Amino acid sequence: MKNEMQIQFSALSQNESFARVSVGAFIAQLDPTMDELTEIKTVVSEAVTNAIIHGYNENPAGTVQLIVVLEDDTVAITIRDDGKGIGDVEQAREPLYTSKPELERSGMGFTIIENFMDELTITSGDQKGTTVYVKKQLSKNKVVSH
Amino acid sequence: MSFHVETEQKNSVLCVRLQGELDHHTASAVRDKVDEALANPQIKHILLNAEGLTFMDSSGIGVILGRYKKLQARGGELVICTVSSSVYRLLEMAGLFKVLRLEEGEDHALRTLGEAV
């Protein structure tokens, strides 16, 4: 069975927790493990923070779109912004690379996303906004309770 | 989302206790509070107690590394204690254990920094 949800919100930092809590609540129906839930919430937090800081330069007029699709035991998440985009996606994916070191960004966002998910696709271009698509298959070897 | 930073000076050590979720939104509270305390030149080390930390993402890594760099300038150490498994994974992934020391509890960590409890 396929189940989908979409939300969109202003590019405000207080919405980072709103985004991960919303996704966490939606995927709860697949009964993820605590580790899986934390991993997915972390990934959402990273991508949404990127959209707010890098996509929109923290301009709250920007809108972040979040789509979550559940199908069988798979969680697919799309995080989209219409911000300034990433000129060099390969460079952005490199561990420790950050375009904003003055903000104490660690440059670990995409590395964490790659580690926690099975699949990561970044579609972007200069002034073209950024779409981050991630996918994760949840473990099936859980204890079945009746 | 409530987030709380508590700081307490114990001679040369600044104890920083975090409560709640540390992300980009809450990182500035940690940065401001710790940096304000670091204005006191007596403080050499930071002991970060992560017991109440229920979530952390790479913004937390950034704020920890930023404080580490400040301590480095004064020859101090950054010690972290009472870390959950998810926070541990993130710190390890970012290679932070190369620069900060992990200890089990606050009292023990304080003793390793030469401060009596």
Side-chain angles (χ1 to χ4, degrees):
Chain A
M1 192 186 69
K2 189 174 166 183
N3 190 2
E4 181 175 335
M5 76 96 150
Q6 291 191 28
I7 46 175
Q8 53 181 46
F9 47 85
S10 307
L12 283 164
S13 64
Q14 52 266 51
N15 286 333
E16 291 154 7
S17 68
F18 164 71
R20 60 179 183 262
V21 168
S22 304
V23 173
F26 187 64
I27 66 167
Q29 59 194 291
L30 293 187
D31 195 22
T33 64
M34 277 308 289
D35 277 351
E36 287 167 342
L37 189 62
T38 303
E39 286 163 5
I40 289 169
K41 284 168 85 172
T42 308
V43 165
V44 169
S45 203
E46 297 297 347
V48 168
T49 302
N50 277 348
I52 293 171
I53 296 182
H54 300 288
Y56 292 122
N57 262 317
E58 308 201 50
N59 177 357
T63 301
V64 182
Q65 193 187 10
L66 185 60
I67 304 162
V68 185
V69 179
L70 310 180
E71 202 162 7
D72 301 322
D73 286 317
T74 304
V75 181
I77 306 170
T78 305
I79 301 102
R80 183 177 293 143
D81 70 67
D82 298 312
K84 70 169 195 261
I86 305 169
D88 187 339
V89 171
E90 282 316 303
Q91 184 185 42
R93 288 178 78 137
E94 279 173 24
L96 306 176
Y97 172 79
T98 178
S99 59
K100 290 190 187 291
E102 73 283 4
L103 294 183
E104 292 189 342
R105 305 307 307 161
S106 66
M108 288 300 291
F110 281 132
T111 305
I112 290 168
I113 294 176
E114 272 186 321
N115 260 281
F116 284 170
M117 304 301 275
D118 302 329
E119 206 180 309
L120 162 65
T121 312
I122 306 163
T123 312
S124 191
D126 204 16
Q127 305 304 322
K128 284 183 179 155
T130 300
T131 301
V132 173
Y133 173 84
V134 290
K135 203 168 156 182
K136 186 180 181 74
Q137 167 105 45
L138 302 183
S139 59
K140 289 172 183 160
N141 308 324
K142 273 171 285 201
V143 179
V144 180
S145 55
H146 294 281
Chain B
M1 198 63 62
S2 73
F3 179 77
H4 189 69
V5 196
E6 182 192 292
T7 57
E8 185 188 352
Q9 189 188 344
K10 290 188 176 173
N11 298 316
S12 69
V13 181
L14 180 71
C15 297
V16 182
R17 303 181 190 104
L18 304 177
Q19 204 97 46
E21 306 198 344
L22 178 53
D23 62 6
H24 159 241
H25 182 65
T26 56
S28 55
V30 180
R31 187 160 42 236
D32 293 350
K33 192 134 192 200
V34 173
D35 287 358
E36 192 188 306
L38 285 180
N40 179 348
Q42 207 200 340
I43 295 169
K44 277 222 146 20
H45 313 290
I46 291 176
L47 170 55
L48 197 60
N49 186 338
E51 190 172 6
L53 199 59
T54 50
F55 175 87
M56 189 179 96
D57 64 15
S58 73
S59 300
I61 295 170
V63 79
I64 292 173
L65 268 176
R67 307 294 74 65
Y68 165 75
K69 284 176 188 161
K70 293 203 165 210
L71 289 182
Q72 234 186 348
R74 52 179 89 179
E77 246 195 302
L78 204 158
V79 178
I80 189 163
C81 71
T82 341
V83 173
S84 69
S85 61
S86 58
V87 171
Y88 180 91
R89 268 179 80 191
L90 217 62
L91 294 172
E92 193 176 42
M93 201 184 289
L96 251 66
F97 292 123
K98 288 183 191 121
V99 296
L100 55 89
R101 188 153 56 82
L102 177 70
E103 294 292 348
E104 270 191 11
E106 194 175 309
D107 290 354
H108 172 71
L110 267 174
R111 278 191 289 268
T112 67
L113 287 167
E115 294 297 341
V117 180

